[in-house]
Amino acid sequence: MLAHLHEDMTRGQAERLFPLIAEVMKEAGAALADLDALAVGTGPGNFTGLRIAVSAARGLALSLERPAIGIPSHEALAEGLPRPLLVSIDARRERLYLQLFGREARGPEIAALDDVGNGWDAPGLHVTGHAAADIAARTGAVAIEAPAPAPSVALAALRRLAAAPAATDWPRPAPLYLRPADAAPSSEAAPILLP
């Protein structure tokens, strides 16, 4: 890992993304043309943030003629952690995006914290991510700290790239949405266009 930066943001991701990429590349002492591939987290997560990240990765990959590798958020957070493992991501509105890794794999799905004990537990279970301590208390699991997201996405993508180094037609990354968008079409009548 040559360099990575992390900023928690609720707004302004589109404006901040490319300056952040430039800072990481400068810290690493590299240029975009030096990259062999691009990795991007595909969610589930914030709708706008996912669209921005995936669009940027696809655009850069196209312009650089490099593969863009999409990594689901749960897979990234599970990188290098023991199994069985339950990964939890905040879905807002008192909901969680959950995925169980191990022999009894399940998900990703949306669930309420109160429903976590229903089929999400397993012998020797570890749990990481959002509300890990609460989930551990409900399931008898051991809560463990989640890895940093960006390095985990990069490591998971590197593992995929190493498994298929000659691949030239990687599928284009796409956002993974587990619930419909919050936005709704306008209830107002569309404007009338004059000739």
Side-chain angles (χ1 to χ4, degrees), residues 6-80:
H6 175 82
E7 291 182 13
D8 285 321
M9 300 178 71
T10 56
R11 297 183 192 283
Q13 294 97 332
E15 296 82 7
R16 183 69 182 118
L17 180 59
F18 281 96
L20 188 68
I21 291 170
E23 290 172 31
V24 170
M25 297 306 295
K26 183 178 179 180
E27 185 178 323
L32 290 173
D34 296 328
L35 299 175
D36 293 324
L38 292 104
V40 63
T42 58
N46 173 286
F47 287 94
T48 303
L50 288 175
R51 282 193 300 271
I52 291 166
V54 169
S55 296
R58 287 174 60 167
L60 282 170
L62 182 63
S63 68
L64 296 168
E65 297 179 344
R66 305 290 195 278
I69 302 169
I71 302 296
S73 301
H74 289 100
E75 182 182 333
L77 293 175
E79 185 66 31

Side-chain angles (χ1 to χ4, degrees), residues 86-99 106 108-121 127 130-132 134-136 138-139 178-179:
L86 179 60
V87 178
S88 172
I89 298 171
D90 185 7
R92 301 199 175 132
R93 298 186 186 149
E94 300 180 21
R95 299 270 188 222
L96 304 168
Y97 296 123
L98 299 173
Q99 186 164 354
R106 178 178 171 187
E109 298 176 24
I110 294 179
L113 182 58
D114 290 341
D115 295 333
V116 170
N118 299 327
W120 290 103
D121 49 352
V127 62
H130 182 74
D134 288 340
I135 295 169
R138 292 168 186 260
T139 61
L178 295 183
R179 62 180 172 90

Side-chain angles (χ1 to χ4, degrees), residues 145-180:
E145 188 173 340
S152 297
V153 167
L155 289 171
L158 184 60
R159 191 171 20 81
R160 285 190 185 180
L161 193 60
T168 57
D169 58 343
W170 286 89
R172 291 185 299 188
L176 172 61
Y177 300 129
L178 295 183
R179 62 180 172 90

